[in-house]
Amino acid sequence: MKKIIILLISFLAIYSCTDKEDPIGKWGDNIKLSQKVVNFTAQQDSTVVTTQGTWWWINGIGLNDDWNYDLNEIDTTKDNFVIEEADFIIERINTTEIHISMNPNQTGLERVLLIGLQAGNYGDGIMVIQAAD
């Protein structure tokens, strides 16, 4: 009898973990970006990307696979902030608008700026592709 109860409890535990609709730790898109990929010319260029969600933050920035941008001094959960680097500026204008600008690309190679966003257990991002000069 004990074996049957243990087997039944094990079966129920396994069955309850196979819920395909809303597994624990996986959230739906609560950021809802207006654009996920943006193309810039080699000259100075900018755009505004909007969100439908208001509760998000930037969890990482990479330019051509260089993820060494220090965000520790900037509270990216605030409704507005500015991240200013030599090659780009990212500004959260309000709860739903992100202004992204890049300085002229004089490297001779295409540049890719990746901006990672997070809201709870949901992550998304914006890819800005800047043409070579």
Side-chain angles (χ1 to χ4, degrees), residues 8-18:
L8 182 60
I9 291 172
S10 299
F11 175 77
L12 290 174
I14 291 169
Y15 181 75
S16 68
C17 291
T18 60

CSV table of all heavy atoms in Angstrom, one decimal, residues 8-18:
chain,number,residue,atom,x,y,z
A,8,LEU,N,1.7,7.1,-6.6
A,8,LEU,CA,0.7,8.0,-6.9
A,8,LEU,C,1.1,9.5,-6.7
A,8,LEU,O,0.9,10.3,-7.5
A,8,LEU,CB,-0.6,7.7,-6.1
A,8,LEU,CG,-1.8,8.6,-6.4
A,8,LEU,CD1,-2.2,8.5,-7.8
A,8,LEU,CD2,-2.9,8.3,-5.5
A,9,ILE,N,1.8,9.7,-5.6
A,9,ILE,CA,2.3,11.1,-5.3
A,9,ILE,C,3.3,11.5,-6.3
A,9,ILE,O,3.4,12.6,-6.8
A,9,ILE,CB,2.8,11.1,-3.8
A,9,ILE,CG1,1.7,11.0,-2.8
A,9,ILE,CG2,3.6,12.4,-3.6
A,9,ILE,CD1,2.1,10.9,-1.4
A,10,SER,N,4.2,10.5,-6.6
A,10,SER,CA,5.3,10.8,-7.7
A,10,SER,C,4.6,11.2,-9.0
A,10,SER,O,5.0,12.1,-9.7
A,10,SER,CB,6.2,9.6,-7.8
A,10,SER,OG,6.9,9.4,-6.6
A,11,PHE,N,3.6,10.4,-9.4
A,11,PHE,CA,2.9,10.6,-10.7
A,11,PHE,C,2.3,12.0,-10.7
A,11,PHE,O,2.4,12.7,-11.6
A,11,PHE,CB,1.9,9.5,-10.9
A,11,PHE,CG,1.1,9.8,-12.1
A,11,PHE,CD1,1.6,9.5,-13.4
A,11,PHE,CD2,-0.2,10.3,-12.0
A,11,PHE,CE1,0.8,9.8,-14.5
A,11,PHE,CE2,-1.0,10.5,-13.1
A,11,PHE,CZ,-0.5,10.3,-14.4
A,12,LEU,N,1.6,12.3,-9.6
A,12,LEU,CA,0.9,13.6,-9.5
A,12,LEU,C,1.9,14.8,-9.5
A,12,LEU,O,1.7,15.8,-10.1
A,12,LEU,CB,0.0,13.7,-8.2
A,12,LEU,CG,-1.2,12.8,-8.3
A,12,LEU,CD1,-1.9,12.9,-6.9
A,12,LEU,CD2,-2.1,13.2,-9.4
A,13,ALA,N,3.1,14.6,-8.9
A,13,ALA,CA,4.1,15.6,-8.8
A,13,ALA,C,4.7,15.9,-10.2
A,13,ALA,O,4.8,17.0,-10.7
A,13,ALA,CB,5.2,15.3,-7.9
A,14,ILE,N,4.9,14.8,-10.9
A,14,ILE,CA,5.5,14.9,-12.3
A,14,ILE,C,4.4,15.5,-13.2
A,14,ILE,O,4.7,16.4,-14.0
A,14,ILE,CB,5.9,13.5,-12.8
A,14,ILE,CG1,7.2,13.1,-12.1
A,14,ILE,CG2,6.2,13.5,-14.3
A,14,ILE,CD1,7.6,11.6,-12.3
A,15,TYR,N,3.2,15.0,-13.1
A,15,TYR,CA,2.1,15.5,-14.0
A,15,TYR,C,1.9,17.0,-13.8
A,15,TYR,O,1.6,17.8,-14.7
A,15,TYR,CB,0.8,14.8,-13.7
A,15,TYR,CG,-0.3,15.2,-14.6
A,15,TYR,CD1,-0.4,14.9,-15.9
A,15,TYR,CD2,-1.3,16.0,-14.0
A,15,TYR,CE1,-1.5,15.3,-16.7
A,15,TYR,CE2,-2.4,16.5,-14.8
A,15,TYR,CZ,-2.5,16.1,-16.1
A,15,TYR,OH,-3.5,16.6,-16.9
A,16,SER,N,1.9,17.5,-12.5
A,16,SER,CA,1.7,18.9,-12.2
A,16,SER,C,2.8,19.8,-12.8
A,16,SER,O,2.6,21.0,-13.0
A,16,SER,CB,1.5,19.1,-10.7
A,16,SER,OG,2.7,18.9,-10.1
A,17,CYS,N,4.0,19.2,-13.0
A,17,CYS,CA,5.1,20.0,-13.5
A,17,CYS,C,5.1,20.1,-15.0
A,17,CYS,O,6.0,20.8,-15.6
A,17,CYS,CB,6.5,19.4,-13.0
A,17,CYS,SG,6.7,19.6,-11.3
A,18,THR,N,4.2,19.5,-15.7
A,18,THR,CA,4.2,19.5,-17.1
A,18,THR,C,3.2,20.5,-17.7
A,18,THR,O,2.9,20.4,-18.9
A,18,THR,CB,3.9,18.1,-17.7
A,18,THR,OG1,2.7,17.6,-17.2
A,18,THR,CG2,5.0,17.1,-17.3
